[in-house]
Amino acid sequence: MYDSSYNYFTLERQLYRSDFLAHPSLKMSVDRERTIQHSVRRSNDNQNFFIGLKKGNVKGKHILRSTEISDDLIIRKTTQNLRRALNRPTTNRNNAALNCYALLKESTPYLVYRLDIKSFYESFEYNHIKNTLRDLVSPRTRLITLNLIDHWNSMGGKGIPRGLPLGHTLSDLLMEGFDHTLINNDHVYFYARYVDDIVIFTKDDTSPKNFIPFIKESLPPGLAINKRKTHVRYATPLKGQPNLKSPTAKRNFNLEYLGYVFHVTTTGSSRRECHLDIAPSKVRKKKTQIVLAFREFTKNRNFKLLHHRLQYLTSNFSVYDINHHTRRLAGIYYSYPLIDIDQSVATKHLDRFLKASLLSRKGQVSSRFQDATTAAQRRELLTLSFSDGAKNRIFTHFSSSQLRQIQKCWRYVL
């Protein structure tokens, strides 16, 4: 039977292997027991749960971070308790993309809504959080969660704090009513939400003028749809004339979701095709990373580090997860495993951009790069390719310290 209480044994289980590297004193049984007991005492207090919460800023967003391992144990246990209260699993990115891919190829007419919630974490209202937790979790879990929110508010934060796993789990819990409403709507035959990104497939007789207001009314208090990122696509019937109910229905259209762009085309009168590519927003991000890597090189003249950074972008690698004794695969292929590489415009565009960056003398950064490198070094970098990395699943080995150094100049890339 699951134990949601905060006692020595349940909090001890919240220690990760990585904690012993970050806090070597935990290897000593006396210090470890003292830390756990400290967490037990504070988690069963009625007001002083946390002592090391700090406000930070990452990518222009305010975040909350913990600087005390005793706080971490309480937060992890609270997150675990909240997760146990969820009625449906968190959306898997690849599964959601695969479902969209299959549905977009359907021959029947449909409407697809692509929505984004404005300032998602910051917009949840305190009373909604309080009322939602009342019947879903234990009084102690509710008290600790609300105390964390109070800490966040006292620092000038709004809604749910970013930066902690608890925020993601709590947002899923607060959105369950909305998720349930959309999933069970008679006009909806597919719904997926990945944090604040939403995609909905409905029958072609659904009117956006009525359906979008319905979506807005169904959102939790404080949340609103981002109008700038709201898109509705009409898929016309494949046979006969365009649907009279949807005069703006299109035979060909694009849909951007979960880092992919879905290109939907109609061939002939009875077939719809779809192929996936890297979304334009993600292409822009990678181009920014290339520019920043060159800019950093003109300052430190570290060619080996520049080479590693471009390998990181154009190839694949594994990241060791010390807490689960597993390796997670990442890189150009594993970040976008569903793209049709032979038809990919994005990877070819990135290859051209990288080549131009290596050979051009236009601009201050390019000029300095040319002066700081030899022809042999530039030829070495020209062998790197986004298309080859994705198609051939080229792997490069990086140590943990190398990965930290590689990522350093991209810390604030949006």
Side-chain angles (χ1 to χ4, degrees):
M1 184 176 178
Y2 179 73
D3 186 357
S4 65
S5 65
Y6 296 77
N7 57 56
Y8 185 91
F9 299 104
T10 59
L11 290 174
E12 183 183 33
R13 293 192 192 104
Q14 303 307 317
L15 281 170
Y16 296 162
R17 291 185 178 91
S18 57
D19 294 330
F20 293 89
L21 294 177
H23 308 277
S25 63
L26 291 174
K27 296 176 182 177
M28 304 294 293
S29 59
V30 173
D31 289 339
R32 184 167 65 253
E33 290 175 9
R34 185 186 299 116
T35 298
I36 297 169
Q37 291 290 4
H38 195 193
S39 296
V40 172
R41 283 195 299 273
R42 285 193 287 108
S43 62
N44 287 283
D45 196 346
N46 285 327
Q47 50 185 348
N48 299 314
F49 298 116
F50 306 105
I51 59 173
L53 297 178
K54 303 291 183 183
K55 187 179 180 182
N57 191 296
V58 173
K59 298 180 182 179
K61 301 285 187 180
H62 294 301
I63 65 163
L64 187 65
R65 56 189 178 87
S66 168
T67 60
E68 291 286 335
I69 182 62
S70 56
D71 282 354
D72 288 333
L73 300 184
I74 299 172
I75 293 169
R76 290 170 189 169
K77 178 58 181 171
T78 304
T79 304
Q80 186 182 64
N81 290 347
L82 293 173
R83 193 176 297 118
R84 295 279 298 196
L86 287 169
N87 289 315
R88 58 191 298 264
T90 301
T91 300
N92 178 277
R93 175 177 174 261
N94 282 338
N95 287 344
L98 277 171
N99 283 326
C100 287
Y101 172 74
L103 291 169
L104 287 167
K105 293 196 298 180
E106 286 289 323
S107 59
T108 55
Y110 56 79
L111 281 83
V112 56
Y113 296 77
R114 168 69 177 86
L115 309 165
D116 177 88
I117 299 175
K118 189 176 181 180
S119 302
F120 182 61
Y121 286 100
E122 294 81 4
S123 298
F124 285 102
E125 293 184 357
Y126 186 84
N127 284 337
H128 176 61
I129 300 171
K130 186 176 180 180
N131 294 333
T132 301
L133 294 178
R134 180 176 289 115
D135 299 322
L136 294 178
V137 296
S138 68
R140 179 59 47 179
T141 298
R142 178 173 177 263
L143 185 62
I144 292 174
T145 303
L146 293 177
N147 184 264
L148 182 70
I149 302 297
D150 289 337
H151 266 77
W152 177 238
N153 291 339
S154 69
M155 297 175 183
K158 296 179 180 180
I160 296 173
R162 297 173 183 265
L164 300 174
L166 182 143
H168 179 78
T169 304
L170 180 57
S171 69
D172 276 345
L173 201 57
L174 296 172
M175 290 293 289
E176 277 204 328
F178 174 79
D179 295 339
H180 184 268
T181 298
L182 270 296
I183 289 171
N184 290 281
N185 185 276
D186 290 338
H187 297 284
V188 175
Y189 61 87
F190 179 75
Y191 164 86
R193 179 183 58 81
Y194 190 79
V195 191
D196 58 348
D197 291 336
I198 299 170
V199 65
I200 307 169
F201 284 77
T202 70
K203 301 171 184 177
D204 67 322
D205 61 355
T206 305
S207 168
K209 290 182 180 179
N210 297 325
F211 193 67
I212 290 180
F214 165 74
I215 295 172
K216 293 177 179 179
E217 292 169 4
S218 302
L219 284 168
L223 270 60
I225 297 296
N226 190 333
K227 293 181 180 179
R228 187 172 58 86
K229 295 183 179 181
T230 297
H231 305 284
V232 183
R233 299 287 184 262
Y234 303 81
T236 184
L238 293 182
K239 294 182 179 180
Q241 298 300 315
N243 191 351
L244 296 177
K245 295 178 181 178
S246 303
T248 57
K250 295 181 179 180
R251 293 173 65 81
N252 304 326
F253 61 87
N254 297 333
L255 178 74
E256 189 172 331
Y257 186 55
L258 300 178
Y260 291 102
V261 58
F262 299 78
H263 297 287
V264 181
T265 57
T266 302
T267 56
S269 62
S270 61
R271 188 178 179 188
R272 208 183 326 263
E273 293 183 350
C274 177
H275 75 268
L276 282 69
D277 206 344
I278 303 173
S281 59
K282 301 303 179 183
V283 172
R284 288 193 294 271
K285 177 180 176 180
K286 291 193 179 297
K287 289 167 71 173
T288 300
Q289 288 176 306
I290 291 171
V291 171
L292 290 176
F294 279 105
R295 182 178 296 171
E296 189 71 12
F297 171 75
T298 62
K299 297 176 183 177
N300 59 31
R301 302 299 175 94
N302 188 333
F303 180 79
K304 185 177 180 180
L305 179 57
L306 173 63
H307 189 262
H308 282 166
R309 282 176 171 152
L310 296 181
Q311 281 182 311
Y312 175 94
L313 292 175
T314 59
S315 64
N316 304 279
F317 52 92
S318 63
V319 180
Y320 180 63
D321 185 339
I322 189 174
N323 295 322
H324 299 95
H325 275 313
T326 58
R327 286 193 173 275
R328 292 184 290 106
L329 301 177
I332 187 64
Y333 171 78
Y334 292 98
S335 295
Y336 306 99
L338 305 180
I339 69 170
D340 186 341
I341 188 60
D342 291 325
Q343 296 188 54
S344 174
V345 174
T347 54
K348 294 178 178 65
H349 175 78
L350 286 168
D351 283 339
R352 289 194 297 271
F353 182 83
L354 176 58
K355 184 178 180 179
S357 300
L358 289 168
L359 300 178
S360 174
R361 272 193 171 272
K362 293 180 180 180
Q364 192 177 53
V365 173
S366 295
S367 179
R368 287 180 178 177
F369 169 75
Q370 293 289 330
D371 293 337
T373 55
T374 64
Q377 287 176 324
R378 292 192 291 275
R379 282 196 299 271
E380 184 178 355
L381 296 179
L382 282 168
T383 63
L384 302 176
S385 164
F386 287 90
S387 298
D388 290 345
K391 186 173 185 176
N392 301 321
R393 304 186 194 183
I394 296 171
F395 261 82
T396 305
H397 173 74
F398 298 115
S399 66
S400 298
S401 59
Q402 284 177 325
L403 285 173
R404 285 194 294 271
Q405 191 177 27
I406 287 168
Q407 296 168 343
K408 201 171 183 181
C409 73
W410 302 322
R411 189 173 298 168
Y412 302 112
V413 177
L414 295 176

